[in-house]
Amino acid sequence: MTEQPFLRTAVRVFRKLTPRAKVAVCELPLTLVVTGLIVASSGVWPTLFQNWMLVVGLLLHGTLFLACFLVPWERLPSNASLIIPILDFVALAFTRSGSYGVLPGLAVLALFPVIWLSASGLRAKTSLSISFAGPLVISLPAFISHLPQPTAADIFSVAVLPLLLLAVSITIRLSGSNARIQQRRVSERDQALRQLLAASKDREMLLETILDTIDVGIVAVDSKGKTVLTNNQQREFLRLAKTGASTDDDESFIHGLDKQTPLPPGKRPIERAIQGETFSDYLVWFGSGPEQRAISTAARSMKRPADDGFGGAVIVFRDVTDVVEALAAKDELVANVSHEFGSPLTSILGNMDLALHGDEEIPAAPRRRLEVVERNAERLHALVQDLLLSSAAVESVYLRRTDVSGLVENSLVSAHAQADAANVGLVADVPSPLWAEADPLRLGQALDNLISNAIKYSPGGGQVNVKAARNDGWIHLEVCDTGIGMTSDETAKIFTRFFRTDSARQAAIPGVGLGLSITKSIVERHGGTITCSSMPGKGSTFTVVLPAEHDDAAAAS
Ligand code: ADP
C-alpha cells in the first residue's frame, strides 16, 4: 500500500532533476556495486590490481561516472546519454576479464545498463539488440580464453546470461508499454470526465440563467422536502410578501381566497407538493396590504427511479394579480350593467303585458309588432338574469334538506312545453326520494339549464333521457340527448363563460354561452362535479355528481 505513493514520489523527484543529475542517478547503482565489490575483493586478493584489464575497466567506470556530471547533456539530443550504459558493457567486459579468476559472476552487473536501456524509450529493436549484444561482449573473452575446455561458468555466461538479460529487457519493455497503455486510458478517461464536467457546468449555468430570467417563481424540493433551489423571481415574491410580516421564518403570509385567512400549513403549495400532490392553477394570495399579490401555483412531483417513491417536486409560482383584478373588474361591470338593465326591462315587460293583455283592444298589425317587442324584451330579460346569476351564483347558495328527485320532476314538467314544441321526446328514470343538502332554487336552475340545453341542441325527432341514482353516498344525475353533439376540443371549453360551439352558432340556436358556467359553479358550490361526454352528430351526456344525505339521516326521516 505504501509502495505506490513512495514510487510516485520517487518518479516525481526524478523528473525534477537536471539532465546531468538524471544520468548520474542512473549510473550510480552500477558504480557503487562495482566499487563495493572491488574494494571488498581487494582485501582478500591484494594482487587483484596487478591485472591491467581490471585497472582499465575500473578507470573506464570512473570516467563514465564523471562524464555523467561533466558532459552538458541538456544541449545534446535526448538519447545521447544512452552512450553511458552502452559503454558500461565495455567497462564491465574489461573489469570482468581482469577479475575473472576471483569474480566470475561480475557479468551479472550487465543487468544495470540493460535496465537503463530497456526503460529509456529507445526503439524496441535497438534496445533488445544491445541488451543481448552487451552481455555477450562481456562474457565472450573469458569463454574464448578457456577454449577448448570452457568451464560451466563460461558456458553460463556466454549463452545463458545474454538470453537471460534479453528476457529481462523484453519484460521491462512489455511492462513499460502496458503501463503506457494504462496511462493513456487513464488520461483519455480523465479528459472525457473533464469534458463532461465542463459540459455539465455549462448546462448548469444555462439553467441558472434561464431560471433567473423568467418571471415565474420556481422552488424545487428534494425527497426529504428540503428546498434545494429557489430562483430570483421567487426570492422577490417572498421579499414582497414578507414586507411588514411579523415572522420571517414561516409561510403565514400565504392567504386563502378571502385574501385574509392564513392558509393552514397542509394547504400551502410547497407543503402540498411535499405530500406528493400534483396540482395546477391553485390560487393563493401572498402578503397583505397594497403589496398583496395573487399567485397561481402548480406542482409536479418526481419519482425515485429505484422504488417509484417520492423523489422531490418542482413548484411554480406565477403572479396573476393583474388577471384576477381584471376579471373582478369585469364581473363588477357585468353585474352593474345587468343591474342597470334590469329595472327598465322589468318596466318594459310590465307595460307590455298590460298593453297586450289589458282591456284595450289593439288592432292585429300593431299587436303582432308588440308581441315581437315583448318576445325580444323577454329574451333580453333572460340574458340579463343569466348575466346577474353568473356573477352571483358562486356566493349565494343556501343548503337545506332537499329531495333532488322532486327538483328533477319540476324541471321535467317545466321543460315539457319546450320539448313538445321542438318535437323532442322526454324520458325520465328517477327513483324517489333522493335526499341531499341542496339549495332547491339554485340546483333547480342548474337542472333546468341542462334539460333545456339537451332539448335546444337536439333536432326534431330526438330524445332526451334524464336518469338519477344513488351510489356510494353520491347522487348521480345524467342528462343524455341525441342532439348535435360537440368535438372533444369544444367539450373541454363549454364550461367557460360565453363559449359557444361552431355548430350552435351556425344553426343559429339562440344562446349566449353563460348557462353551463352558471350550472358548473352551482354544482361545485354543492360540493359536486359536472362532466360532459359528447360526439358530434351523436349527442351529449352531462353527468352531475352530488353528495347525498347520509344513510342514517335518510332513515330517520
Ligand atoms: P347557451 O346554450 O346559452 O349558448 P350554455 O352555457 O348553456 O350557453 O352552453 C354553452 C355551449 O355549449 C352552447 O352554446 C352549445 O354550443 C354547447 N352545448 C351546451 N349543451 C349542449 C348539448 N346538450 N348539446 C350540444 N351542445 C351543447
Side-chain angles (χ1 to χ4, degrees):
M1 293 290 276
T2 53
E3 225 168 317
Q4 290 285 7
F6 171 74
L7 270 179
R8 243 179 276 144
T9 317
V11 169
R12 216 178 307 132
V13 171
F14 182 78
R15 283 206 183 123
K16 281 187 192 152
L17 294 176
T18 61
R20 291 180 207 214
K22 275 185 191 162
V23 181
V25 166
C26 291
E27 181 66 352
L28 188 64
L30 176 66
T31 313
L32 283 179
V33 174
V34 169
T35 313
L37 278 175
I38 296 302
V39 170
S41 316
S42 62
V44 187
W45 296 283
T47 54
L48 203 59
F49 289 107
Q50 287 169 9
N51 189 309
W52 68 270
M53 291 234 262
L54 178 75
V55 177
V56 170
L58 289 180
L59 280 175
L60 253 174
H61 279 300
T63 314
L64 286 173
F65 191 55
L66 272 180
C68 295
F69 294 100
L70 298 178
V71 176
W73 302 110
E74 61 278 0
R75 281 189 237 146
L76 300 175
S78 61
N79 275 347
S81 61
L82 296 182
I83 192 69
I84 300 282
I86 293 171
L87 288 177
D88 276 342
F89 290 122
V90 180
L92 276 171
F94 276 101
T95 318
R96 201 246 183 174
S97 300
S99 63
Y100 186 69
V102 280
L103 293 168
L106 211 65
V108 177
L109 296 186
L111 190 64
F112 288 105
V114 164
I115 292 175
W116 185 346
L117 286 165
S118 309
S120 65
L122 204 60
R123 280 178 49 217
K125 231 189 255 173
T126 319
S127 88
L128 291 178
S129 316
I130 301 174
S131 298
F132 181 76
L136 196 66
V137 167
I138 297 169
S139 45
L140 213 53
F143 182 76
I144 294 168
S145 69
H146 286 91
L147 285 175
Q149 280 146 354
T151 62
D154 297 333
I155 295 169
F156 169 80
S157 295
V158 81
V160 180
L161 192 74
L163 288 175
L164 194 76
L165 292 183
L166 179 66
V168 169
S169 175
I170 291 171
T171 311
I172 292 172
R173 289 210 69 96
L174 282 180
S175 60
S177 63
N178 249 349
R180 271 195 296 281
I181 290 171
Q182 294 280 5
Q183 205 175 345
R184 203 178 315 134
R185 274 194 202 141
V186 169
S187 71
E188 275 169 10
R189 229 170 285 162
D190 188 54
Q191 206 182 343
L193 276 176
R194 271 171 212 277
Q195 278 170 355
L196 271 178
L197 193 73
S200 98
K201 273 197 181 145
D202 282 354
R203 264 201 299 273
E204 196 182 312
M205 218 165 68
L206 181 70
L207 190 70
E208 253 173 45
T209 315
I210 292 172
L211 287 180
D212 285 340
T213 312
I214 52 175
D215 59 355
V216 169
I218 293 178
V219 171
V221 292
D222 65 12
S223 57
K224 296 192 180 75
K226 199 170 142 254
T227 303
V228 288
L229 182 146
T230 305
N231 73 340
N232 270 351
Q233 181 61 66
Q234 182 61 8
R235 279 191 284 273
E236 179 61 13
F237 283 157
L238 295 180
R239 192 188 64 73
L240 282 175
K242 285 179 180 173
T243 311
S246 49
T247 51
D248 201 43
D249 55 346
D250 79 305
E251 293 187 321
S252 56
F253 56 82
I254 303 182
H255 300 110
L257 290 182
D258 67 356
K259 302 180 171 188
Q260 284 168 8
T261 320
L263 277 183
K267 299 239 165 177
R268 294 173 189 163
I270 296 183
E271 198 50 43
R272 284 183 64 186
I274 292 172
Q275 299 310 321
E277 275 187 63
T278 289
F279 52 87
S280 306
D281 299 328
Y282 178 50
L283 190 77
V284 294
W285 286 86
F286 268 29
S288 47
E291 296 289 2
Q292 193 173 42
R293 312 300 294 165
I295 306 284
S296 171
T297 65
R300 295 285 176 279
S301 53
M302 298 176 277
K303 283 189 177 158
R304 268 194 309 250
D307 56 2
D308 267 8
F310 177 70
V314 177
I315 307 103
V316 178
F317 299 77
R318 200 154 43 89
D319 187 344
V320 290
T321 316
D322 292 347
V323 179
V324 169
E325 279 172 358
L327 281 175
K330 194 181 92 183
D331 280 351
E332 205 182 317
L333 181 80
V334 167
N336 288 342
V337 170
S338 318
H339 190 259
E340 295 306 314
F341 269 99
S343 317
L345 267 174
T346 313
S347 157
I348 291 172
L349 282 169
N351 282 297
M352 199 62 72
D353 191 47
L354 283 176
L356 283 170
H357 309 110
D359 302 333
E360 287 170 51
E361 204 44 50
I362 304 174
R367 170 174 284 277
R368 271 201 302 281
R369 294 224 163 80
L370 281 176
E371 277 167 357
V372 171
V373 171
E374 187 184 39
R375 260 203 314 281
N376 282 297
E378 269 167 0
R379 278 180 65 186
L380 211 54
H381 190 249
L383 169 61
V384 167
Q385 288 305 313
D386 272 358
L387 282 169
L388 272 173
L389 263 179
S390 77
S391 49
V394 178
E395 274 107 53
S396 50
V397 170
Y398 303 102
L399 303 179
R400 66 181 129 102
R401 190 160 182 264
T402 308
D403 177 14
V404 176
S405 67
L407 295 181
V408 177
E409 191 56 44
N410 290 346
S411 294
L412 286 169
V413 170
S414 335
H416 253 298
Q418 186 195 357
D420 287 346
N423 189 23
V424 171
L426 258 183
V427 182
D429 175 11
V430 182
S432 177
L434 286 172
W435 293 109
E437 284 297 311
D439 180 331
L441 191 74
R442 295 287 187 220
L443 199 56
Q445 281 168 351
L447 289 170
D448 284 348
N449 232 330
L450 290 178
I451 295 170
S452 93
N453 269 357
I455 299 167
K456 193 161 75 167
Y457 296 107
S458 293
Q463 182 162 306
V464 172
N465 280 298
V466 183
K467 282 191 231 160
R470 195 190 145 111
N471 213 336
D472 282 341
W474 295 90
I475 294 171
H476 290 249
L477 277 167
E478 217 175 81
V479 180
C480 181
D481 65 58
T482 52
I484 56 174
M486 295 165 264
T487 64
S488 55
D489 278 356
E490 289 171 332
T491 310
K493 294 182 196 151
I494 47 166
F495 297 107
T496 312
R497 285 205 278 171
F498 301 109
F499 176 79
R500 304 205 70 212
T501 61
D502 286 343
S503 44
R505 285 177 201 281
Q506 275 156 18
I509 301 170
V512 284
L514 277 173
L516 284 180
S517 81
I518 296 169
T519 304
K520 185 169 190 266
S521 67
I522 291 175
V523 170
E524 284 175 351
R525 276 310 273 188
H526 283 79
T529 55
I530 178 166
T531 51
C532 170
S533 68
S534 187
M535 286 261 280
K538 295 264 184 258
S540 315
T541 300
F542 285 83
T543 308
V544 174
V545 180
L546 294 167
E549 189 180 57
H550 292 300
D551 281 334
D552 42 358
S557 63

